[in-house]
Amino acid sequence: KHHEHAVKVPMVNFGEVYDKIKPALVLLDVEGMEVELLSCIKDRLAAPTEGRLRPYLWIEDDREEHHQPLMQLLDDCGYRPFWAITPLSPEGADVAAGPFPLQCSFNILAVPAERPLPIQGLPRANMKDRVGECPGSWIVSKFERIDTPVGDVV
């Protein structure tokens, strides 16, 4: 049974959309299916094409079992992964005392090897990292170091 306010959304092929719009940034938050989705366009991500820069990737990475396959896929495609971990507490609030104490949003900013890092101060991600650990003191210090983007990111 459909909800009365349900909206039909057409299903599209991600690879075809990627080829058509040539994105500068791809944001992926597909509830644990990030590696599968990126695998569909792995050949497009692996090498820059003439006249086209490879996109930055912003990828949710909050499941321990998916972290190593994601790191391997990014490495295979020539991307450098950086943690972009943000507390879910309101800006300026004490992370440990907020409405979601010590809960964070775990994301990877994947940067093509040939492009600059657009946000300074992000820690490099690797296969040995433990996903889901969010000690307040570590996150606050890293979060406060995030500056404004450097250069043009479209």
Side-chain angles (χ1 to χ4, degrees):
K1 181 177 176 166
H2 296 286
H3 189 273
E4 65 182 79
H5 299 289
V7 176
K8 279 190 170 186
V9 178
M11 191 170 1
V12 296
N13 179 291
F14 184 68
E16 290 174 11
V17 171
Y18 177 88
D19 289 341
K20 184 178 181 180
I21 63 173
K22 299 174 178 68
L25 171 71
V26 175
L27 184 140
L28 296 175
D29 181 353
V30 289
E31 304 308 320
M33 300 296 292
E34 289 77 13
V35 172
E36 289 80 358
L37 184 57
L38 285 171
S39 294
C40 293
I41 60 168
K42 182 178 179 179
D43 59 327
R44 294 165 177 95
L45 295 175
T49 56
E50 190 174 324
R52 177 179 178 177
L53 293 174
R54 294 188 300 160
Y56 291 94
L57 306 173
W58 185 273
I59 309 161
E60 182 181 49
D61 186 17
D62 63 355
R63 290 173 168 84
E64 187 76 33
E65 66 273 16
H66 297 158
H67 179 71
Q68 287 187 353
L70 177 60
M71 293 297 101
Q72 185 63 57
L73 178 67
L74 293 172
D75 185 61
D76 292 348
C77 292
Y79 274 78
R80 298 170 292 145
F82 295 87
W83 282 113
I85 304 172
T86 55
L88 297 177
S89 298
E91 187 174 333
D94 178 1
V95 175
F100 306 103
L102 299 183
Q103 291 184 10
C104 298
S105 174
F106 289 83
N107 299 285
I108 294 291
L109 173 61
V111 179
E114 70 279 2
R115 297 189 74 182
L117 178 62
I119 301 173
Q120 300 304 304
L122 296 179
R124 186 78 182 251
N126 65 61
M127 289 223 192
K128 296 179 182 177
D129 290 338
R130 296 208 22 100
V131 176
E133 291 184 359
C134 185
S137 60
W138 187 86
I139 293 299
V140 170
S141 65
K142 296 296 183 189
F143 184 63
E144 289 172 351
R145 286 180 46 205
I146 298 175
D147 298 320
T148 56
V150 174
D152 292 331
V153 179
V154 183

